[in-house]
Amino acid sequence: MAKNKKATVASTGVFGLDEILRGGLPASNLYILQGAPGSGKTTAALQFLRAGLEKGESCIYVSLSQTAAELNAIATSHGWSIEGIRIEELSASDAVNSAADQTIFQTAELRLDETRRAIEAAIEEHKPDRLVYDSLLEIRLITGDTLRFRRELLGFKAFSAKRNVVALVLDTQTSGPDRSGEEVEGIAHGVIRFDKSLEEYGSVRRRVEVSKMQGVPVADGYHDMAIREREGVVVFPRLVPGTASETVKPQLIKSGVDELDEMFGGGRESGTVTLVIGQSGTGKSTMSSLYATAALKRGESVALFLFEERLRNILPALRGHGHGPAAVPSGWAIDHP
Ligand SMILES: Nc1ncnc2c1ncn2[C@@H]1O[C@H](COP(=O)(O)OP(=O)(O)O)[C@@H](O)[C@H]1O
Ligand SMILES: [Mg+2]
């Protein structure tokens, strides 16, 4: 049955994140996704389940914090269908009402028991390959103390491991840096952190860090991340100098102007960075764009990042240097603010 369909590595469904994880999440384990409210956990979790659906896996979203309608709204805002994902909406407060006359201690115990039983029943019934648990914060609030909380998480880990579930457990970080990270780090097979920060100026900066992944030499440190309409959470693995494939031989990149190439000993070496310095109007942009047009003519793709000039200002400069109006605009993907 479904178990045979499962690969040993589960794709996260998040562009770029699988690359950092060297393929995805090592299957049938418990992973924690931490982040402040609004950092993208729920969005990424939906992507994770959608990736499972695509492979014909059975997927459950256990939600203690968001209603099915809220989850649907998030999916709809990206144009996604989450049909086929089983949503178990467990209100952590249901049990309180039924036990209003109990002491506070018993109430907490009852709520925990009911929540745990509901999750286990859902797992037994639907036999998911992938499960999202949103979020640990609610359990943390009910248990109140670390020991009880750890025991609860360990119990869930053992239960889901026995049933071959890849569980992605969301952990909402409240104020302050990582108040609760360590107690769960030890239990999970892997911990992924979404970070959201505001700079002095400009838009919010989103980053991701894989702070633990057992048995996987992940790309460590921060990697940039964004939440985009339709794509959802996307990750841009950091380029690490020296990790480019060594089998690729350096080539000499030509500008198309023989004298210039000769001056550089045949061209600029591929895989290197060249800084062009000069006063304004001395021809920095024009010289650099020679390499871009020459590469386009060779049929290669080129990225040009313009911060000062507009494309409409730079195009006449290119044409003025005899590179022909027709050759330049075709093949240029124009993407500038
Ligand atoms: N349709 C969308 N397109 C782009 N970004 C969105 C869209 N919908 C929500 N977002 C962004 O995603 C964030 C919410 O992400 P969410 O996954 O709900 O976070 P968390 O579960 O960590 O609280 C919002 O704060 C918003 O910035
Ligand atoms: Mg959420």
Side-chain angles (χ1 to χ4, degrees), residues 38 41-43 61 65-66 74 134 170 172:
K41 298 179 302 296
T42 299
T43 310
Y61 198 113
S65 65
Q66 271 154 321
I74 294 177
D134 184 7
L170 312 191
T172 308

Side-chain angles (χ1 to χ4, degrees), residues 85-99:
I85 294 175
R86 173 90 205 172
I87 298 174
E88 285 294 325
E89 205 181 312
L90 304 177
S91 167
S93 63
D94 280 356
V96 186
N97 303 330
S98 65

